[in-house]
Amino acid sequence: MKQMSRYLALGLSALLIAGCGSSGKRELPPAELERFTAEVDLQRSWSRNIGAGQGKRYNTLVPALDGLTLYAADVNGRVFALERDTGAVIWQTRLREPTSGAVGAGSGRVMVGTLDGQVIVLDESDGSELWRAQVSSEVLAPPQTNGDVVVVQSQDDTLTAFDISTGEQRWTHQSSLPVLTVRGHAAPVVSLRQVFAGLASGRVVSLDANSGTVIWEERVAQPRGRSELERMVDIDGSLLLVDQTLYAATFQGNLAALDIETGSTRWQHPASSHGGPGAGFGSVYISHANGTVEAFDQNRPTSLWRNESLARRKLTAPVAFSSYVAVADFEGYVHLLAQTDGRLVARTRVDRRGVRVPPIVLGDTLYVYGNSGNLVALRLP
């Protein structure tokens, strides 16, 4: 059954691609990169090869930072622990299974998921396996922890929590899937008290972290249209928690700001995005599915600026980086935009096979994991 659901998910992805091109209209090519005067120089601090990288499937194996260590995994089950400042390998291990959901890290644990629904938890200090457990379907997003439980969201929109020490299942929460979904999931957000997850139905659910009891559930986008393709409103990008507000973006739906205590919608704005929002300097940033990068006021649905020069370039979710907004694209370019008005200020290429996972930011360093396995640390002068 697990193998059948895996191929079903892949088939639906193919249907999505075919459906988007079935209207008879000619698809526009990705925008050519426009010339501009660079205002800042992104300097490569170090780079490291992480095995086979994302592989041939549409995997989104994101790295994770915890303390002084950066963790990354490739599709073949190799997991690396690197010194974040130098890229030096602290340890590496090879799992017996291909990796599809990676990497979560925290509280002394490194957590990954596999296509056959295995959750594997390693010791942060040396990469030794501590425990593994089975969930209901493939794991496409990294498991997360609050130091007490490890929470996993599987492809069938089931959330499962395990005891971080023993791997014993604490609770599970199931949700109904729409007929057609985009293949993929964002990682749940796990705080000491609550677990937040975006669902394929366009809803966000908040659960009690200890018991799995539903605290609230709120719809971010309402399915519209006659066909199942038109009615997809998946939340596949990461949720963003800023103070007491949770931001979520759907495909063919909305960008919304939710109160974390009640789930009530503080504001929303039409949007279609495969990636989640980023935030910084009082703004929320989003990469639309069409390649437009847009900034909003964190407290209201006011658009502050839009940059349309990267149209159809399959952008990652944006991240705030110093005074800039960083996104990467399908050709492996990292673009820096000014947070004030969205103008392009810098560009560099890190991987000719492209980048599909958002960069990670720590201080003045931007970590970018390319599809071929190139993990690069970029710094501002």
Side-chain angles (χ1 to χ4, degrees), residues 97-119:
E97 297 82 2
T99 308
S100 56
V103 177
S107 301
R109 305 292 189 267
V110 179
M111 301 155 291
V112 299
T114 71
L115 283 175
D116 62 359
Q118 290 276 322
V119 179

PDB file of all heavy atoms in Angstrom, residues 97-119:
ATOM      1  N   GLU A  97      18.371   3.374   3.735  1.00  0.00           N
ATOM      2  CA  GLU A  97      17.237   3.748   2.911  1.00  0.00           C
ATOM      3  C   GLU A  97      17.480   5.100   2.238  1.00  0.00           C
ATOM      4  O   GLU A  97      18.134   5.972   2.796  1.00  0.00           O
ATOM      5  CB  GLU A  97      15.956   3.850   3.761  1.00  0.00           C
ATOM      6  CG  GLU A  97      15.537   2.540   4.406  1.00  0.00           C
ATOM      7  CD  GLU A  97      16.275   2.251   5.686  1.00  0.00           C
ATOM      8  OE1 GLU A  97      17.089   3.100   6.096  1.00  0.00           O
ATOM      9  OE2 GLU A  97      16.062   1.175   6.272  1.00  0.00           O
ATOM     10  N   PRO A  98      16.930   5.302   1.026  1.00  0.00           N
ATOM     11  CA  PRO A  98      16.970   6.629   0.407  1.00  0.00           C
ATOM     12  C   PRO A  98      16.229   7.649   1.264  1.00  0.00           C
ATOM     13  O   PRO A  98      15.229   7.331   1.904  1.00  0.00           O
ATOM     14  CB  PRO A  98      16.263   6.415  -0.937  1.00  0.00           C
ATOM     15  CG  PRO A  98      16.336   4.951  -1.189  1.00  0.00           C
ATOM     16  CD  PRO A  98      16.287   4.305   0.157  1.00  0.00           C
ATOM     17  N   THR A  99      16.720   8.863   1.254  1.00  0.00           N
ATOM     18  CA  THR A  99      16.154   9.920   2.084  1.00  0.00           C
ATOM     19  C   THR A  99      15.209  10.788   1.256  1.00  0.00           C
ATOM     20  O   THR A  99      15.522  11.169   0.140  1.00  0.00           O
ATOM     21  CB  THR A  99      17.281  10.800   2.660  1.00  0.00           C
ATOM     22  OG1 THR A  99      18.247   9.962   3.292  1.00  0.00           O
ATOM     23  CG2 THR A  99      16.742  11.784   3.669  1.00  0.00           C
ATOM     24  N   SER A 100      14.043  11.112   1.822  1.00  0.00           N
ATOM     25  CA  SER A 100      13.085  11.973   1.128  1.00  0.00           C
ATOM     26  C   SER A 100      12.658  13.170   1.973  1.00  0.00           C
ATOM     27  O   SER A 100      12.277  14.211   1.435  1.00  0.00           O
ATOM     28  CB  SER A 100      11.839  11.178   0.715  1.00  0.00           C
ATOM     29  OG  SER A 100      11.246  10.561   1.854  1.00  0.00           O
ATOM     30  N   GLY A 101      12.709  13.050   3.301  1.00  0.00           N
ATOM     31  CA  GLY A 101      12.358  14.154   4.194  1.00  0.00           C
ATOM     32  C   GLY A 101      13.531  14.460   5.094  1.00  0.00           C
ATOM     33  O   GLY A 101      13.832  13.707   6.011  1.00  0.00           O
ATOM     34  N   ALA A 102      14.214  15.560   4.815  1.00  0.00           N
ATOM     35  CA  ALA A 102      15.424  15.889   5.579  1.00  0.00           C
ATOM     36  C   ALA A 102      15.679  17.393   5.492  1.00  0.00           C
ATOM     37  O   ALA A 102      15.271  18.034   4.543  1.00  0.00           O
ATOM     38  CB  ALA A 102      16.628  15.128   5.013  1.00  0.00           C
ATOM     39  N   VAL A 103      16.366  17.936   6.473  1.00  0.00           N
ATOM     40  CA  VAL A 103      16.829  17.364   7.731  1.00  0.00           C
ATOM     41  C   VAL A 103      16.217  18.190   8.857  1.00  0.00           C
ATOM     42  O   VAL A 103      16.165  19.408   8.763  1.00  0.00           O
ATOM     43  CB  VAL A 103      18.365  17.450   7.853  1.00  0.00           C
ATOM     44  CG1 VAL A 103      18.849  16.922   9.205  1.00  0.00           C
ATOM     45  CG2 VAL A 103      19.062  16.716   6.722  1.00  0.00           C
ATOM     46  N   GLY A 104      15.760  17.536   9.927  1.00  0.00           N
ATOM     47  CA  GLY A 104      15.398  18.258  11.132  1.00  0.00           C
ATOM     48  C   GLY A 104      16.492  18.073  12.166  1.00  0.00           C
ATOM     49  O   GLY A 104      17.126  17.013  12.230  1.00  0.00           O
ATOM     50  N   ALA A 105      16.725  19.083  13.002  1.00  0.00           N
ATOM     51  CA  ALA A 105      17.777  18.975  14.014  1.00  0.00           C
ATOM     52  C   ALA A 105      17.408  19.798  15.228  1.00  0.00           C
ATOM     53  O   ALA A 105      16.819  20.870  15.116  1.00  0.00           O
ATOM     54  CB  ALA A 105      19.127  19.438  13.449  1.00  0.00           C
ATOM     55  N   GLY A 106      17.777  19.282  16.403  1.00  0.00           N
ATOM     56  CA  GLY A 106      17.539  20.006  17.649  1.00  0.00           C
ATOM     57  C   GLY A 106      17.500  19.065  18.826  1.00  0.00           C
ATOM     58  O   GLY A 106      17.231  17.862  18.680  1.00  0.00           O
ATOM     59  N   SER A 107      17.830  19.586  20.011  1.00  0.00           N
ATOM     60  CA  SER A 107      17.787  18.814  21.258  1.00  0.00           C
ATOM     61  C   SER A 107      18.641  17.555  21.182  1.00  0.00           C
ATOM     62  O   SER A 107      18.273  16.494  21.689  1.00  0.00           O
ATOM     63  CB  SER A 107      16.336  18.447  21.615  1.00  0.00           C
ATOM     64  OG  SER A 107      15.544  19.605  21.770  1.00  0.00           O
ATOM     65  N   GLY A 108      19.783  17.657  20.500  1.00  0.00           N
ATOM     66  CA  GLY A 108      20.696  16.534  20.412  1.00  0.00           C
ATOM     67  C   GLY A 108      20.317  15.476  19.404  1.00  0.00           C
ATOM     68  O   GLY A 108      20.916  14.401  19.383  1.00  0.00           O
ATOM     69  N   ARG A 109      19.333  15.756  18.542  1.00  0.00           N
ATOM     70  CA  ARG A 109      18.852  14.779  17.575  1.00  0.00           C
ATOM     71  C   ARG A 109      18.935  15.325  16.151  1.00  0.00           C
ATOM     72  O   ARG A 109      18.749  16.519  15.914  1.00  0.00           O
ATOM     73  CB  ARG A 109      17.395  14.391  17.856  1.00  0.00           C
ATOM     74  CG  ARG A 109      17.135  13.877  19.270  1.00  0.00           C
ATOM     75  CD  ARG A 109      17.792  12.527  19.503  1.00  0.00           C
ATOM     76  NE  ARG A 109      17.384  11.928  20.764  1.00  0.00           N
ATOM     77  CZ  ARG A 109      18.043  12.063  21.915  1.00  0.00           C
ATOM     78  NH1 ARG A 109      19.152  12.803  21.960  1.00  0.00           N
ATOM     79  NH2 ARG A 109      17.601  11.473  23.016  1.00  0.00           N
ATOM     80  N   VAL A 110      19.198  14.414  15.200  1.00  0.00           N
ATOM     81  CA  VAL A 110      19.088  14.685  13.768  1.00  0.00           C
ATOM     82  C   VAL A 110      18.015  13.759  13.233  1.00  0.00           C
ATOM     83  O   VAL A 110      18.059  12.548  13.473  1.00  0.00           O
ATOM     84  CB  VAL A 110      20.419  14.442  13.035  1.00  0.00           C
ATOM     85  CG1 VAL A 110      20.253  14.703  11.535  1.00  0.00           C
ATOM     86  CG2 VAL A 110      21.515  15.332  13.605  1.00  0.00           C
ATOM     87  N   MET A 111      17.040  14.304  12.493  1.00  0.00           N
ATOM     88  CA  MET A 111      15.848  13.540  12.116  1.00  0.00           C
ATOM     89  C   MET A 111      15.619  13.599  10.613  1.00  0.00           C
ATOM     90  O   MET A 111      15.645  14.679  10.026  1.00  0.00           O
ATOM     91  CB  MET A 111      14.632  14.112  12.853  1.00  0.00           C
ATOM     92  CG  MET A 111      14.766  14.075  14.365  1.00  0.00           C
ATOM     93  SD  MET A 111      13.751  15.329  15.220  1.00  0.00           S
ATOM     94  CE  MET A 111      14.594  16.848  14.755  1.00  0.00           C
ATOM     95  N   VAL A 112      15.401  12.426  10.024  1.00  0.00           N
ATOM     96  CA  VAL A 112      15.132  12.341   8.587  1.00  0.00           C
ATOM     97  C   VAL A 112      13.967  11.383   8.348  1.00  0.00           C
ATOM     98  O   VAL A 112      13.610  10.591   9.214  1.00  0.00           O
ATOM     99  CB  VAL A 112      16.372  11.879   7.792  1.00  0.00           C
ATOM    100  CG1 VAL A 112      17.527  12.849   7.966  1.00  0.00           C
ATOM    101  CG2 VAL A 112      16.790  10.473   8.211  1.00  0.00           C
ATOM    102  N   GLY A 113      13.387  11.474   7.148  1.00  0.00           N
ATOM    103  CA  GLY A 113      12.304  10.579   6.763  1.00  0.00           C
ATOM    104  C   GLY A 113      12.599   9.927   5.436  1.00  0.00           C
ATOM    105  O   GLY A 113      13.455  10.396   4.669  1.00  0.00           O
ATOM    106  N   THR A 114      11.877   8.847   5.124  1.00  0.00           N
ATOM    107  CA  THR A 114      12.137   8.094   3.905  1.00  0.00           C
ATOM    108  C   THR A 114      10.861   7.907   3.093  1.00  0.00           C
ATOM    109  O   THR A 114       9.748   8.132   3.573  1.00  0.00           O
ATOM    110  CB  THR A 114      12.710   6.696   4.234  1.00  0.00           C
ATOM    111  OG1 THR A 114      11.666   5.889   4.799  1.00  0.00           O
ATOM    112  CG2 THR A 114      13.869   6.785   5.209  1.00  0.00           C
ATOM    113  N   LEU A 115      11.024   7.455   1.843  1.00  0.00           N
ATOM    114  CA  LEU A 115       9.889   7.248   0.951  1.00  0.00           C
ATOM    115  C   LEU A 115       8.969   6.131   1.421  1.00  0.00           C
ATOM    116  O   LEU A 115       7.780   6.113   1.085  1.00  0.00           O
ATOM    117  CB  LEU A 115      10.383   6.944  -0.472  1.00  0.00           C
ATOM    118  CG  LEU A 115      10.867   8.128  -1.298  1.00  0.00           C
ATOM    119  CD1 LEU A 115      11.443   7.644  -2.618  1.00  0.00           C
ATOM    120  CD2 LEU A 115       9.748   9.120  -1.546  1.00  0.00           C
ATOM    121  N   ASP A 116       9.493   5.163   2.172  1.00  0.00           N
ATOM    122  CA  ASP A 116       8.633   4.087   2.656  1.00  0.00           C
ATOM    123  C   ASP A 116       8.088   4.350   4.054  1.00  0.00           C
ATOM    124  O   ASP A 116       7.596   3.440   4.730  1.00  0.00           O
ATOM    125  CB  ASP A 116       9.356   2.740   2.607  1.00  0.00           C
ATOM    126  CG  ASP A 116      10.585   2.686   3.500  1.00  0.00           C
ATOM    127  OD1 ASP A 116      10.901   3.708   4.148  1.00  0.00           O
ATOM    128  OD2 ASP A 116      11.228   1.623   3.550  1.00  0.00           O
ATOM    129  N   GLY A 117       8.147   5.627   4.480  1.00  0.00           N
ATOM    130  CA  GLY A 117       7.499   6.013   5.727  1.00  0.00           C
ATOM    131  C   GLY A 117       8.299   5.736   6.980  1.00  0.00           C
ATOM    132  O   GLY A 117       7.727   5.683   8.066  1.00  0.00           O
ATOM    133  N   GLN A 118       9.608   5.600   6.860  1.00  0.00           N
ATOM    134  CA  GLN A 118      10.448   5.434   8.033  1.00  0.00           C
ATOM    135  C   GLN A 118      10.878   6.799   8.569  1.00  0.00           C
ATOM    136  O   GLN A 118      11.224   7.704   7.807  1.00  0.00           O
ATOM    137  CB  GLN A 118      11.701   4.630   7.686  1.00  0.00           C
ATOM    138  CG  GLN A 118      11.443   3.167   7.397  1.00  0.00           C
ATOM    139  CD  GLN A 118      11.372   2.337   8.659  1.00  0.00           C
ATOM    140  OE1 GLN A 118      12.119   2.561   9.609  1.00  0.00           O
ATOM    141  NE2 GLN A 118      10.486   1.359   8.665  1.00  0.00           N
ATOM    142  N   VAL A 119      10.858   6.939   9.883  1.00  0.00           N
ATOM    143  CA  VAL A 119      11.425   8.109  10.558  1.00  0.00           C
ATOM    144  C   VAL A 119      12.667   7.620  11.291  1.00  0.00           C
ATOM    145  O   VAL A 119      12.592   6.697  12.112  1.00  0.00           O
ATOM    146  CB  VAL A 119      10.429   8.722  11.555  1.00  0.00           C
ATOM    147  CG1 VAL A 119      11.053   9.927  12.251  1.00  0.00           C
ATOM    148  CG2 VAL A 119       9.144   9.111  10.854  1.00  0.00           C
TER     149      VAL A 119
END
